[in-house]
Amino acid sequence: GDSVTQMEGPVTLSEEAFLTINCTYTATGYPSLFWYVQYPGEGLQLLLKATKADDKGSNKGFEATYRKETTSFHLEKGSVQVSDSAVYFCALFYSNRDDKIIFGKGTRLHILP
Amino acid sequence: DAGVTQSPTHLIKTRGQQVTLRCSPKSGHDTVSWYQQALGQGPQFIFQYYEEEERQRGNFPDRFSGHQFPNYSSELNVNALLLGDSALYLCASSSRAGTGTKNEQFFGPGTRLTVL
């Protein structure tokens, strides 16, 4: 079946460091891929998405590229801020199928000032 | 636009009790999905409601049931609560009729359920 695997956290970085959170997926079809962010005490917010192979999603300085050949969707940011501290979830979704989002387990990110 | 709202924010129950959680979708949305997020885990799909019917269901027992009302709001009911039902319950709304962002799910802040 379909699944998402992401690197375990917590990930601790200093402010202005480069961030990579790895995400790989197993899919029976051609899903859309997402990164969601969850700030403390809040629900999920869509951070970025890509709907087909080689698409790059970007938002707020974060980027991820849909790599079909490596079944990956790694999240990157060139210079993180303390305000980026949150839990990040990689997810897949079939918009023309059953509408349920399949999430990874999440990666907690701590940014030190 | 109020976005997706959920109530209550927090809830404490004891084993064996029943609980009802509520969700109001974003304006213009007609579909509601429910997810369970256990501590330290990613959200797991429970079920989805559209046109007042359950359309999809994840791997959850029948103790989990739901309802959708004509105004598109939804309830999640859990019977015979177990300790393992303690989690954050997230509601997400979407629109089956839209284009572009069709089916994009917008999440509410969640209800934190603690079962003692």
Side-chain angles (χ1 to χ4, degrees):
Chain A
D2 301 313
S3 66
V4 174
T5 302
Q6 57 183 108
M7 64 188 289
E8 293 199 17
V11 173
T12 302
L13 296 172
S14 296
E15 202 166 24
E16 299 183 2
F18 184 86
L19 168 71
T20 299
I21 300 179
N22 291 336
C23 170
T24 57
Y25 66 91
T26 301
T28 54
Y30 302 98
S32 297
L33 300 176
F34 300 112
W35 277 100
Y36 282 87
V37 59
Q38 187 173 39
Y39 297 102
E42 299 185 12
L44 295 171
Q45 299 177 26
L46 180 63
L47 180 60
L48 54 83
K49 65 179 179 182
T51 57
K52 61 184 187 297
D54 299 326
D55 271 1
K56 177 186 281 188
S58 60
N59 186 25
K60 299 181 181 179
F62 291 90
E63 294 182 339
T65 301
Y66 191 163
R67 302 284 188 201
K68 186 163 176 262
E69 64 275 13
T70 54
T71 61
S72 65
F73 193 55
H74 304 320
L75 182 68
E76 296 182 336
K77 186 175 185 183
S79 177
V80 292
Q81 306 299 313
V82 172
S83 57
D84 294 328
S85 297
V87 181
Y88 292 81
F89 293 94
C90 186
L92 66 82
F93 172 69
Y94 293 96
S95 61
N96 60 349
R97 203 191 283 184
D98 55 15
D99 290 352
K100 68 179 181 185
I101 303 174
I102 296 172
F103 290 89
K105 291 187 176 181
T107 302
R108 183 173 297 278
L109 175 64
H110 292 293
I111 305 300
L112 303 175
Chain B
D1 183 2
V4 181
T5 59
Q6 293 186 241
S7 62
T9 304
H10 295 88
L11 206 49
I12 299 175
K13 293 285 188 178
T14 57
R15 281 178 296 175
Q17 286 190 312
Q18 178 264 342
V19 68
T20 298
L21 311 181
R22 295 176 176 82
C23 171
S24 291
K26 184 178 169 66
S27 178
H29 285 183
D30 54 14
T31 303
V32 174
S33 302
W34 287 92
Y35 293 81
Q36 180 196 65
Q37 185 181 5
L39 194 63
Q41 301 295 315
Q44 298 287 318
F45 176 76
I46 303 175
F47 44 53
Q48 182 183 86
Y49 276 83
Y50 171 67
E51 290 186 330
E52 302 180 46
E53 289 188 15
E54 184 182 294
R55 299 292 178 168
Q56 299 286 341
R57 189 177 182 93
N59 188 25
F60 280 81
D62 292 345
R63 297 187 297 108
F64 290 77
S65 63
H67 188 77
Q68 186 179 34
F69 299 93
N71 67 352
Y72 308 119
S73 67
S74 176
E75 288 182 349
L76 164 65
N77 301 293
V78 187
N79 294 322
L81 284 167
L82 304 174
L83 295 180
D85 295 332
S86 295
L88 179 68
Y89 288 84
L90 295 165
C91 167
S93 74
S94 56
S95 172
R96 288 195 175 210
T99 58
T101 56
K102 177 177 179 289
N103 291 341
E104 179 176 343
Q105 298 186 15
F106 291 79
F107 285 83
T111 294
R112 173 79 57 190
L113 172 65
T114 302
V115 182
L116 302 176

